Structures are given as structure tokens and as C-alpha cells.
Amino acid sequence: MGPLISKARQERVLEYLRIGADEGATVADDAGVPDLPAPLDGGYFVRPTVLTNVANEMRVAQEEIFGPVLVAVPFTDEDDAVAKANDSRYALGAAVWTKEVARSHRVASEVSAGICWVNDHHRIEPSMPWGGTGASGVGKECGVESFDDFSHQKVVVVRAASEGFDWYGEAGVSRLN
């Protein structure tokens, strides 16, 4: 597990751990910044942390933490799991973990997310489009789909004829004057 990108990001992830605890989530006892030897002690590390006893309404379940934090929200059945997964304005990525192939396809198709992994997480390669839906970003990176998102097509039509054109059927009226 590598370091986070900056001190500010490290502090933001640690703040989410505090927010989760304040809202009633259980935060693992060893959460926080690890005590690492040099030269790693200068990196912005946060221990991988699991938050349990999380209600879907909590900020840690509703906001993108972008750190090594797993937020475990209990569910009663498949429909409840899909409803909770889709009850967020963010939808970058999702993962379905199951031994049932039919269930994996069913749930993956029902979850609103830019990408959905089955029995895996965050495995991408350059030909796969990457990007979220909802408030998790605009457009796609990677894949041929990114060409559409990173370009703007514009059509310009020029009539080269010198004589006027009676577009509206008003005989003898030139529209090029």
C-alpha cells in the first residue's frame, strides 16, 4: 500500500476516519498513520482501515474518501444491496463479490457506476474506458470512448452557390442579400 499524494490528502482521509467514528461507525483499533522507518517515515501513509457498523446515510458511506478505507454497509438481500449502492450521488466504481455468476451479472448491470468489477477491484488497463457517472466525474479516460470525451466535433456547412435560394418558398426572394 503506497503513500497518499500529499499531506493534505492524508489529513483528509484521517478526518474521514474521525467523521465515521463521530457518526457511530466502528473504526479499526490500528487505524491511522503507521510508524515507519526511514525513508518511508516521510511518506503520507494511512493504514488500510475497515469501518463497520456503518449506516448508508453516514458521510463515510455517501462521500468519496479516496484513501485506503473500506466502508462496510450491511444489507439484507440483493435488492437492498443494489438500492444502497445506488443511493449515492457518486458513482465512480463498484465491486460485486459473489460465487454466483448469474448474480454477478445481474447486480453489476443494476448498480449505477462508471465501472463495476466482479470479484476484483480497481483492475484497469488502457483499452478500458475509465470514468464515473453522477457527481463522480465527467466523461471517460482511456479506451476509444475517451476520444469522444476529449474532443469536440463541430460541423460547418457552407453553401458555395452564388445565386440566392428560396428556402421558404417565396418565389423571387433571395436569401443571400
Side-chain angles (χ1 to χ4, degrees), residues 12 15-25 51 54-65 71 73 87-88 90:
R12 186 72 177 137
E15 177 64 17
Y16 270 109
L17 298 181
R18 287 187 285 277
I19 289 167
D22 289 347
E23 290 182 328
L51 302 181
V54 176
N56 205 46
E57 298 76 32
M58 293 179 177
R59 283 183 61 190
V60 291
Q62 290 294 317
E63 298 177 12
E64 295 176 320
I65 298 174
V71 179
V73 179
D87 183 27
S88 173
Y90 299 104

Side-chain angles (χ1 to χ4, degrees), residues 94-111:
V96 177
W97 298 86
T98 181
K99 292 180 180 179
E100 298 177 33
V101 174
R103 173 176 280 173
S104 71
H105 285 280
R106 192 171 51 247
V107 173
S109 69
E110 293 175 12
V111 170

Side-chain angles (χ1 to χ4, degrees), residues 154-170:
K154 183 176 186 174
V155 176
V156 176
V157 177
V158 177
R159 186 167 186 272
S162 60
E163 69 276 354
F165 183 72
D166 188 9
W167 187 262
Y168 297 104
E170 301 170 20

